[in-house]
Amino acid sequence: MQSRRNLLLTAFLAASLLVCGATYQLALRRALADQQGQGAAQLQIVALDLESILQKYETLPFALGFQADVRQVLADPGDAAAVDRLNRAFKIIQQQSRAVHIFMLDAGGMTLASSNWDEEFSFVGRDFGFRPYFREAIQGRAGRFYGIGNISSEPGYFIAQPIYRRPDQAPSTPSAPPIGVVVVKVDLAEFEHTWRSSEAPIALTDGGGVVFLSNRQQWKYHSLDQLSGTQQRELEGTHQYADLPITPVAALPATLREGFGPHVARPVTQLGWQLRLFPSQARMMRSATLATLAAALCMLALGISLLAWYQHRSRMQERRQSRAALQRAALELDQKIALRTQELTAANQAIAARFEKLQQTESLLRTTQNELVQAGKLAMLGQMAAGVTHELNQPLAAIRAFADNSVKFLARGQTEQVAENLEHISSASANMGKIIGQLKGFARKSGGQVAQVELPHAIEAAVLLLARDIEQQGATVTREVRHCAHILGDAVRIEQVLVNLLRNALDAVEEAPVKQVRVLLDIEHGQAVLRIRDSGGGISDEVAPHLFEPFFTTKAGSRGLGLGLAISSSIVQAMNGQLSAHNHEQGGAEFVLRLPLLQAPGP
Ligand code: ADP
């Protein structure tokens, strides 16, 4: 991005330089063309001006040829009076016409009369036969010439006209050559002054390209080009420029030839003169520089506009990109949200399905539990029925046997045996009554009132009921009440459970060296916990699985019916409690009774 920008900047700078360079060249060319156009116009004015000045004097020598004394003096140069009159007339006319000099030459080029006859450098008696204007005029043509006077050393324009013997003779009649020549010298310095205001150099050159009038004084009497040998010799012959060495302007020192170069030229007069104007190069360069500056400013404005446009475009592009990125991000977010929503919905559905399954499982569990309870009850009932049948069958069979025997003994009259059998029958039926009594206790759901039961009192009541047995056995029953726990239940049934557990403990310690039973009441995990631990032999692995089964007993004879723990467990379960048993780590069995608390326990 950066390098591209640098490349563009470099290209733009190069283009700007090219444009400026081209503008400079074009403007220079244009300025040159303008200057040339203006110069040509200016030259036209100058040329007209010059030609009108020269025209003014053109006819003066011709008119002077008609002076009364002209022919007299030419006929008799020794006529001093005539010469004097002519000299004075020439002076007056010279002063009036503002010519520099007016003088007359004879056919040999000798000056016979002159307007400066009375001055130091009088022309009178001077020979100007070598001058081209004389040579032209004596051949019957008007002589025109610009040169530096070899007497006065002043430059001037010479106009010469031939004089014929007869004033009315037509010029250039071959039969009668001119007898003399009248010459008027005009000063063009005043005309030259009018060029001073021009910034551009103006030069008037002769047919040979020698500058003789110019607003650059240092160029005067220097040629535009190197003069040829012929031209040099010609100048020497005519003394046109007082034998000054004519060198090219281009050979002058740089400061002196300043402004010399391409120019516009216009011919003036029929003498091969050329008016030349050198357009001001400084001005051309100024206007070219101004045009270049304008171009540079335009390029700068263009550059700034391009930069602004480029920045605007980059900003727009960045904005577009960020908008697109935002849209992409929003789209991605939408997609993610949709995906997450889908996942969540799926998870929700899965949870709902699982919840439903759980509910189904729970209800199934409940059903199963109920069924199990029911099955358990039925199983227990079956067991009990089997037990009852078994327990009752024996005495019943004995009773029948004794009764049958009694009938036989009666028939034989053996009354003593009958009485003995009846005693056996009575004992067996008592035994049966005992079993039925026990079963009644088991079958009866609740005989007493459900009320608040203070467990410490229940413990004391149970211990009191067994006080005789304890004493007979020589056992000790210690009680420890860590928390006075209250429960809701039937106090008689609770005592029945406690009596069962304590009796079993006493049975267990009967043969033990130490006969110790410990009762501990506490509260654990918001439940009343009653532990009855004995110092007996503990519960063997064979016995443990059948502890709470009805009619399971290890006790011999009529000492045990095997219903105590089964009934106790049933009572405790009816109170939402739990009865469990295990061997204590320090020996002996420990039965744990857990019951829900009624209220916050006292200490
Ligand atoms: P029973 O006392 O008539 O035998 P139980 O249901 O009360 O009937 O007891 C069943 C059996 O549990 C007992 O025969 C005995 O083997 C065992 N048992 C009960 N309590 C204890 C105990 N404290 N120590 C060891 N065994 C016990």
Side-chain angles (χ1 to χ4, degrees):
M1 193 67 182
Q2 189 73 31
S3 63
R4 187 165 168 246
R5 200 179 297 172
N6 285 345
L7 199 73
L8 283 173
L9 194 69
T10 315
F12 182 76
L13 281 175
S16 302
L17 278 174
L18 267 174
V19 167
C20 289
T23 306
Y24 185 78
Q25 288 302 326
L26 278 172
L28 203 62
R29 228 175 281 170
R30 179 74 193 266
L32 179 65
D34 283 354
Q35 292 270 314
Q36 281 178 338
Q38 285 172 17
Q42 195 179 345
L43 279 184
Q44 192 177 5
I45 296 165
V46 173
L48 282 172
D49 205 11
L50 177 64
E51 277 172 346
S52 80
I53 290 169
L54 297 181
Q55 202 64 44
K56 199 172 81 181
Y57 291 101
E58 190 67 21
T59 52
L60 186 57
F62 180 76
L64 286 169
F66 290 93
Q67 279 291 315
D69 293 312
V70 165
R71 281 170 188 78
Q72 176 57 32
V73 172
L74 285 171
D76 183 9
D79 187 346
V83 168
D84 184 58
R85 278 199 304 277
L86 192 59
N87 279 338
R88 289 176 191 280
F90 277 177
K91 190 160 191 108
I92 291 165
I93 294 165
Q94 174 259 320
Q95 285 169 345
Q96 289 301 313
S97 66
R98 300 180 76 176
V100 182
H101 299 296
I102 297 174
F103 52 101
M104 186 182 75
L105 313 172
D106 64 11
M110 182 63 73
T111 310
L112 299 180
S114 174
S115 58
N116 64 349
W117 56 276
D118 55 347
E119 292 171 18
E120 190 186 352
F121 299 106
S122 168
F123 291 172
V124 179
R126 302 281 177 178
D127 184 359
F128 293 111
F130 62 92
R131 289 294 209 181
Y133 56 83
F134 169 75
R135 289 209 292 267
E136 285 287 317
I138 209 67
Q139 285 171 24
R141 295 188 292 269
R144 298 175 188 91
F145 177 74
Y146 188 90
I148 299 174
N150 59 343
I151 308 295
S152 62
S153 299
E154 285 169 359
Y157 177 62
F158 296 87
I159 307 168
Q161 288 287 351
I163 299 162
Y164 295 93
R165 192 170 301 281
R166 285 176 45 213
D168 56 345
Q169 186 185 324
S172 68
T173 305
S175 55
I179 55 168
V181 170
V182 176
V183 183
V184 174
K185 183 183 178 184
V186 182
D187 187 8
L188 295 179
E190 203 177 319
F191 169 69
E192 190 188 55
H193 278 167
T194 58
W195 300 351
R196 294 237 166 115
S197 58
S198 167
E199 191 189 350
I202 300 173
L204 184 59
T205 59
D206 63 15
V210 178
V211 178
F212 62 88
L213 280 182
S214 176
N215 54 357
R216 295 284 184 278
Q217 291 305 310
Q218 56 274 20
W219 291 9
K220 268 170 133 178
Y221 312 119
H222 289 281
S223 57
L224 297 180
D225 300 308
Q226 183 70 46
L227 291 184
S228 66
T230 319
Q231 286 173 312
Q232 293 273 14
R233 276 192 296 281
E234 205 175 303
L235 284 179
E236 280 163 22
T238 58
H239 304 289
Q240 189 174 355
Y241 299 115
D243 300 328
L244 287 168
I246 308 296
T247 54
V249 179
L252 286 170
T255 48
L256 298 182
R257 65 163 193 271
E258 196 187 333
F260 184 75
H263 59 274
V264 277
R266 179 194 166 86
V268 64
T269 75
Q270 287 111 31
L271 301 170
W273 293 2
Q274 291 276 348
L275 252 176
R276 297 171 195 274
L277 187 133
F278 299 77
S280 167
Q281 287 184 357
R283 187 188 289 177
M284 285 192 308
M285 278 158 75
R286 262 205 310 277
S287 69
T289 308
L290 276 174
T292 310
L293 269 175
L297 275 173
C298 284
M299 286 311 285
L300 188 70
L302 182 68
I304 290 169
S305 307
L306 278 174
L307 191 70
W309 173 78
Y310 183 78
Q311 282 181 342
H312 175 71
R313 205 186 67 148
S314 324
R315 260 205 305 277
M316 291 307 285
Q317 210 166 345
E318 274 170 22
R319 216 173 282 176
R320 267 203 301 277
Q321 280 173 352
S322 57
R323 202 177 299 156
L326 267 175
Q327 278 174 348
R328 269 203 305 280
L331 202 69
E332 272 173 31
L333 198 68
D334 281 352
Q335 283 172 348
K336 273 183 189 169
I337 287 171
L339 198 70
R340 291 280 179 280
T341 312
Q342 214 172 332
E343 284 172 3
L344 278 174
T345 313
N348 216 11
Q349 281 171 350
I351 288 171
R354 261 182 222 171
F355 183 69
E356 203 177 335
K357 228 171 198 176
L358 267 176
Q359 278 184 327
Q360 284 172 359
T361 315
E362 195 196 359
S363 83
L364 191 72
L365 268 175
R366 270 183 214 283
T367 320
T368 315
Q369 194 185 27
N370 288 340
E371 281 170 4
L372 276 175
V373 168
Q374 200 61 29
K377 277 181 180 174
L378 283 173
M380 200 180 217
L381 196 68
Q383 278 182 338
M384 281 181 77
V388 168
T389 312
H390 176 74
E391 293 297 323
L392 293 181
N393 255 347
Q394 260 187 320
L396 199 63
I399 287 170
R400 185 180 290 165
F402 283 125
D404 287 348
N405 286 339
S406 295
V407 172
K408 286 174 186 170
F409 286 138
L410 260 181
R412 284 180 213 158
Q414 294 173 316
T415 51
E416 276 182 32
Q417 274 83 3
V418 173
E420 199 178 326
N421 276 9
L422 285 173
E423 262 179 52
H424 285 301
I425 288 170
S426 172
S427 163
S429 58
N431 220 3
M432 285 174 75
K434 203 173 168 186
I435 292 169
I436 289 163
Q438 289 263 17
L439 278 174
K440 266 170 74 186
F442 176 72
R444 186 161 52 100
K445 275 216 159 178
S446 174
Q449 292 285 316
V450 173
Q452 180 181 324
V453 179
E454 284 184 37
L455 284 177
H457 288 176
I459 293 165
E460 287 309 317
V463 171
L464 196 66
L465 278 171
L466 295 169
R468 228 176 119 225
D469 296 343
I470 295 165
E471 198 186 324
Q472 276 179 355
Q473 268 188 252
T476 52
V477 178
T478 59
R479 279 89 69 195
E480 188 183 348
V481 178
R482 290 187 183 165
H483 277 101
C484 184
H486 292 199
I487 60 147
L488 193 69
D490 183 344
V492 178
R493 310 286 293 210
I494 292 283
E495 280 169 28
Q496 189 184 345
V497 171
L498 291 177
V499 167
N500 270 335
L501 295 175
L502 282 171
R503 191 181 296 280
N504 281 346
L506 288 173
D507 287 346
V509 300
E510 195 172 12
E511 307 280 310
V514 179
K515 297 165 182 146
Q516 175 84 49
V517 178
R518 289 193 186 89
V519 180
L520 173 68
L521 177 63
D522 203 352
I523 290 175
E524 291 173 20
H525 309 298
Q527 280 186 315
V529 179
L530 207 153
R531 294 171 190 274
I532 298 172
R533 181 187 156 198
D534 59 60
S535 57
I539 306 158
S540 67
D541 290 343
E542 295 82 47
V543 171
H546 310 288
L547 266 185
F548 297 97
E549 284 176 14
F551 302 107
F552 174 80
T553 180
T554 55
K555 294 167 191 171
S558 60
R559 283 196 59 196
L561 281 170
L563 287 171
L565 286 179
I567 292 167
S568 298
S569 175
S570 165
I571 292 167
V572 170
Q573 276 180 18
M575 290 180 188
N576 294 324
Q578 196 186 340
L579 181 64
S580 62
H582 60 269
N583 285 325
H584 197 271
E585 55 194 8
Q586 288 169 5
E590 183 177 65
F591 281 80
V592 183
L593 173 63
R594 294 174 195 275
L595 287 164
L597 276 174
L598 173 67
Q599 60 183 53

